[in-house]
Amino acid sequence: MQPNLFDWSPPCQVILFPMVKRVGRIRDVTAKMLDKRTDRAASSYRDQVTVAMLRSLARAGIPEDEQNEQLGAFWSEVQLEMIRLTYRGSQPGDTAA
């Protein structure tokens, strides 16, 4: 019997948009981290974001090693944004709003 072409599906690969390029998400998370009053609150929020991102990546079928790489790069960008915003607000003559 000849195989039916409509039953065939080509192999697929999920291509992830890099987490470090999600500028809006990075800025949103940074703002929320900076608004936390205690280190404990910031750590709790970071854990919540991490769990949600890992679930999302896993649902998309991203391999665990790439999940970890993407997550690490994301948090590095958040840290850089926090430093940038903190430094910008502490310059003489600058208004920290």
Side-chain angles (χ1 to χ4, degrees):
M1 180 171 212
Q2 191 172 2
N4 186 347
L5 292 177
F6 295 109
D7 291 337
W8 179 80
S9 61
C12 64
Q13 177 183 9
V14 175
I15 299 174
L16 178 69
F17 186 78
M19 300 301 285
V20 297
K21 301 294 183 186
R22 297 180 181 198
V23 176
R25 179 79 169 142
I26 290 166
R27 288 180 179 163
D28 180 58
V29 169
T30 298
K32 289 177 181 173
M33 291 286 287
L34 291 174
D35 283 345
K36 300 299 177 191
R37 294 180 185 256
T38 64
D39 287 342
R40 185 174 180 180
S43 179
S44 176
Y45 177 67
R46 180 184 170 110
D47 291 346
Q48 290 172 7
V49 170
T50 297
V51 167
M53 290 175 70
L54 286 173
R55 280 188 190 143
S56 177
L57 293 170
R59 274 194 312 267
I62 306 300
E64 190 174 331
D65 59 331
E66 188 174 345
Q67 290 178 32
N68 293 333
E69 184 179 318
Q70 291 290 323
L71 195 62
F74 175 82
W75 284 115
S76 292
E77 288 298 314
V78 169
Q79 183 177 17
L80 288 173
E81 183 71 3
M82 289 174 72
I83 292 168
R84 186 184 69 78
L85 291 175
T86 303
Y87 177 72
R88 185 179 75 185
S90 67
Q91 291 179 355
D94 195 14
T95 57

